[in-house]
Amino acid sequence: MQNDHPATSNAPKPDVRIVQLTGPTLDALARGDLAGANATSPVPLTAYLAGPDRRRLWERRSRQVAADPGSAAWVTGVIWDRQRESAVGTAGYHGPPDTAGMVEIGYAVDPAHRRRGYARAALESLLARAAREPRVHTVRVTISPGNTASYRLASQYGFVEVGEDRDDEDGLGIIYEIPATRS
């Protein structure tokens, strides 16, 4: 999970929403096809979203939605700045709640838009949705040990360390969780 630092000015917090994408849009992004993605996307997408840094994410979400169309309402979407009417990053859950009621969140802000409060606004949006969903009991985030900015942001919302995970794609990650009702 990447994030930007809390806004350092007195500027108002960005007004964002997470825009969910359809299977065809996810498929086009997985291919790096920005024009094809924009042809089916509900909002205009940017080169960052179709770029190589996001490709693995879209490939994973495209396969996930193809296997389980109902997961499209949960998986990673676009952080949409309502005032600027622009896509500034990605945010969402790794999937619908599991059998224990856990959802894992993730987000990344386009480097051109970092340090403006977008990560915080996306995190708050994801936590608010989790709190509204009766099936969600726990919210999880996994953070790389060296990502102190993400750790600082998550800790401000009460996330506590519950373990660690290692995978071939992302390496070591520290797992943090909070009850959904606290969000």
Side-chain angles (χ1 to χ4, degrees), residues 17-88:
R17 71 180 175 105
I18 310 302
V19 177
Q20 299 308 134
L21 303 174
T22 64
T25 305
L26 294 170
D27 295 343
L29 287 169
R31 295 188 307 271
D33 177 4
L34 179 59
N38 271 321
T40 59
S41 175
V43 296
L45 304 175
T46 64
Y48 166 77
L49 296 173
D53 290 345
R54 302 281 79 204
R55 182 88 40 94
R56 274 189 339 199
L57 168 71
W58 300 128
E59 289 170 352
R60 189 176 326 119
R61 298 303 174 233
S62 175
R63 287 190 306 269
Q64 184 178 3
V65 168
D68 176 14
S71 68
W74 287 92
V75 299
T76 308
V78 173
I79 303 171
W80 180 254
D81 182 324
R82 293 177 201 231
Q83 294 168 322
R84 297 175 71 202
E85 296 187 346
S86 62
V88 297

Side-chain angles (χ1 to χ4, degrees), residues 144-167:
S144 300
N147 192 341
T148 56
S150 282
Y151 167 75
R152 281 195 306 267
L153 180 60
S155 66
Q156 291 174 20
Y157 291 85
F159 281 90
V160 295
E161 184 176 338
V162 298
E164 56 185 53
D165 180 41
R166 180 178 296 278
D167 66 42

